[in-house]
Amino acid sequence: MRPSVPHHRPPRTRRVRRLFRRIAFTAVLGLVAATPIATAAAPPAAAAAGGLQQVTGFGSNPGNLQMYEYTPAGLPANAPLVVALHGCAQMADAYYTNSGWPQFADRWGFDVVFPQTTSANNALSCFSWFDAAEDSRGKGEAASIVQMVEHAKQSRGSDGRRVYVTGLSAGGGMTADLLAAYPDVFAGGSVASGLPAQCATSQAAASGCQTGPQKLSPAQWGDKVRGGYPGYTGPWPRVAIWQGTSDYTVYPANATALRDQWTDVWGIGQTPSSTDTLPGNTTRSVYHDSAGQPAVETYTVSGMGHGLAVSPGPGAEQCGRAAAYFLNTICSTYYTGVFWGLDGGAPGGGDRLPAPAGVTVTGVTDATASLSWNAVAGAASYAVFRNGTKTASPAGTTYTDTGLTAATAYRYTVAAVDGSGTAGAASVQVTATTTGGAPARCFTATNYAQVAAGRAHTTGGYVYANGSEANMGLYNVFVTHTLKESPAGYFVIADSGCTG
């Protein structure tokens, strides 16, 4: 029986207090209150330019979300898939531009889906991690995101065994909910400045979770996950947890609750199996499963506030662009990708051999490509990956790939393999282009026009030539370059003259 509702209006002071509480709560709920440069419903700027593409008709879309996708050129079928969820008051373009995920998609070979919510769903464009009608199995936004995954599997041939989800703040809260509701869909997750699964089941409880989640036992937190898909008996996702110690929007207690929750789900204790120090004043704690492989990892960034950890620069372990709530500390995307095994190594990362240095293309013919690299101490052999797929296991530091197609660009990475057969971190990617084919063609245009014509692409506000990945400078109409195409689809900068 519903309680009766009084017909008189509340006193003015009470209405004012309620209004201020609503405003304060909305500000807290914002989580990532970065001011968007356009209305949330507008398509990302990059979508019109060619890097990030909007996908329509991906399903019934019960959560009223928008789907954007980044697919590296020449991505083979059966590649991994990453789903990346933005924070409040952001758009998919912000995550695409600043997080570093497109950079590693190019290097390691995987597809990235960027779901986008709008102010039509939430006043600050937050994913609804606190609403059971939106974050539960088969419902609302969660169901829409899974429909995006299914669309990518059908249209791109993505490997359904290697689907991962990551998110910042409210996107991190939704990430945890998705892992609980769909452990059969996601092989791993990464929660950045986010909240434990099902921490709140109503808007009224959301702000309390942010500043201090309930003081539950690990088993009680674990039960919230197990309740997301009752009766599930398959493998659980591997979970990375990123948190700044100076985050006063989503307090560090949430990272502790996330650790308790997922270690309990895995049936392991809350004492780390190992702890080490990473760049950016970061402490990594690793929790092994019963087979001795990392199942849960926490990354605590000392002094970092609320945001996603990035580390702009050209290094193999750097990524992203510093911006509002993208904080220059450490490339969380790199370490998350290694933890999941996206670099070609075993899932879970752990104490693996370092990436081989000095990977070089030493020669090509119309059907072969030859590589060399520096030796790695402790390596029993090496794994060579062509376009993201393992193609050879040489014992030495040279390899010649055969049976290739003339006038075609191939991407290679190399990983050292230890005596137990575990592959280490993958090297920086190199491109080898076989000889033969049609004469070169030349195109002179602004960076904007080169991208619009499909001869180049954008990453982090810069333009890179398709194929050679040569840096062409800022993405705008003021910088002009001449690109030479040879073979088809492979472009190099030819400002000094375009011949051949």
Side-chain angles (χ1 to χ4, degrees):
M1 180 175 180
R2 296 190 342 184
S4 61
V5 178
H7 296 286
H8 67 279
R9 298 177 63 193
R12 177 179 175 83
T13 54
R14 191 186 310 168
R15 294 200 309 273
V16 170
R17 285 197 301 270
R18 288 178 179 174
L19 175 62
F20 274 97
R21 282 199 300 269
R22 188 177 302 117
I23 293 172
F25 171 71
T26 302
V28 172
L29 183 61
L31 297 176
V32 181
T35 302
I37 60 175
T39 60
L52 186 65
Q53 299 293 335
Q54 185 168 11
V55 178
T56 58
F58 58 84
S60 60
N61 193 16
N64 190 35
L65 301 181
Q66 296 169 353
M67 176 180 178
Y68 292 89
E69 185 177 40
Y70 176 72
T71 303
L75 184 70
N78 210 40
L81 172 65
V82 172
V83 178
L85 303 174
H86 63 77
C88 295
Q90 291 180 333
M91 297 183 293
D93 185 47
Y95 225 67
Y96 165 80
T97 299
N98 300 317
S99 68
W101 280 111
Q103 172 184 331
F104 287 101
D106 288 339
R107 182 188 302 179
W108 293 336
F110 56 86
D111 194 29
V112 191
V113 166
F114 295 89
Q116 178 171 287
T117 187
T118 70
S119 57
N121 286 6
N122 177 278
L124 289 174
S125 300
C126 306
F127 287 102
S128 300
W129 57 272
F130 48 82
D131 186 346
E134 300 291 345
D135 65 3
S136 302
R137 187 177 179 88
K139 296 182 180 179
E141 294 175 2
S144 289
I145 292 168
V146 171
Q147 287 179 356
M148 296 179 197
V149 170
E150 291 304 314
H151 185 276
K153 288 163 62 177
Q154 294 297 320
S155 64
R156 302 291 184 186
S158 300
D159 185 353
R161 299 166 303 173
R162 294 185 293 165
V163 180
Y164 307 91
V165 60
T166 181
L168 166 62
S169 198
M174 181 59 82
T175 292
D177 290 339
L178 285 166
L179 295 174
Y182 293 98
D184 54 331
V185 172
F186 298 103
S190 180
V191 181
S193 299
L195 307 104
Q198 298 300 318
C199 182
T201 55
S202 70
Q203 184 167 302
S207 60
C209 280
Q210 292 170 217
T211 57
Q214 304 171 61
K215 297 185 184 302
L216 302 180
S217 68
Q220 289 172 317
W221 280 119
D223 285 344
K224 289 179 177 289
V225 171
R226 287 181 284 268
Y229 185 12
Y232 176 72
T233 59
W236 291 105
R238 300 183 183 275
V239 182
I241 302 159
W242 289 85
Q243 181 71 46
T245 62
S246 298
D247 188 342
Y248 302 114
T249 301
V250 175
Y251 280 38
N254 285 282
T256 301
L258 277 160
R259 179 208 62 187
D260 290 353
Q261 183 171 67
W262 288 100
T263 52
D264 180 77
V265 166
W266 273 87
I268 55 182
Q270 287 71 56
T271 300
S273 305
S274 66
T275 300
D276 60 345
T277 301
L278 301 177
N281 295 318
T282 303
T283 300
R284 173 173 57 186
S285 296
V286 182
Y287 301 81
H288 287 164
D289 62 16
S290 58
Q293 298 299 314
V296 178
E297 292 189 351
T298 62
Y299 297 80
T300 305
V301 188
S302 179
M304 190 180 82
H306 186 67
L308 183 74
V310 298
S311 178
E317 299 178 4
Q318 292 184 284
C319 72
R321 189 176 74 173
Y325 301 99
F326 293 90
L327 308 179
N328 188 355
T329 51
I330 180 176
C331 176
S332 59
T333 298
Y334 169 80
Y335 288 96
T336 295
V338 170
F339 172 59
W340 290 339
L342 293 177
D343 64 336
D351 297 327
R352 301 186 301 168
L353 294 175
V359 179
T360 304
V361 178
T362 58
V364 293
T365 69
D366 60 356
T368 67
S370 297
L371 308 172
S372 69
W373 54 89
N374 298 339
V376 173
S381 64
Y382 297 88
V384 178
F385 297 85
R386 181 210 305 141
N387 295 341
T389 300
K390 184 178 177 181
T391 188
S393 300
T397 57
T398 61
Y399 172 68
T400 297
D401 199 7
T402 61
L404 305 179
T405 302
T408 303
Y410 294 92
R411 305 187 308 271
Y412 292 93
T413 57
V414 181
V417 180
D418 64 22
S420 67
T422 300
S427 70
V428 172
Q429 178 179 283
V430 296
T431 300
T433 303
T434 51
T435 57
R441 296 192 300 165
C442 300
F443 306 87
T444 300
T446 67
N447 279 357
Y448 179 88
Q450 299 282 23
V451 172
R455 296 185 286 268
H457 59 277
T458 62
T459 297
Y462 287 85
V463 176
Y464 298 86
N466 288 348
S468 69
E469 298 298 320
N471 189 333
M472 299 166 59
L474 292 172
Y475 174 53
N476 58 37
V477 297
F478 305 108
V479 179
T480 297
H481 284 293
T482 297
L483 293 181
K484 180 173 73 173
E485 182 183 23
S486 180
Y490 188 90
F491 297 87
V492 297
I493 298 174
D495 293 341
S496 60
C498 190
T499 59

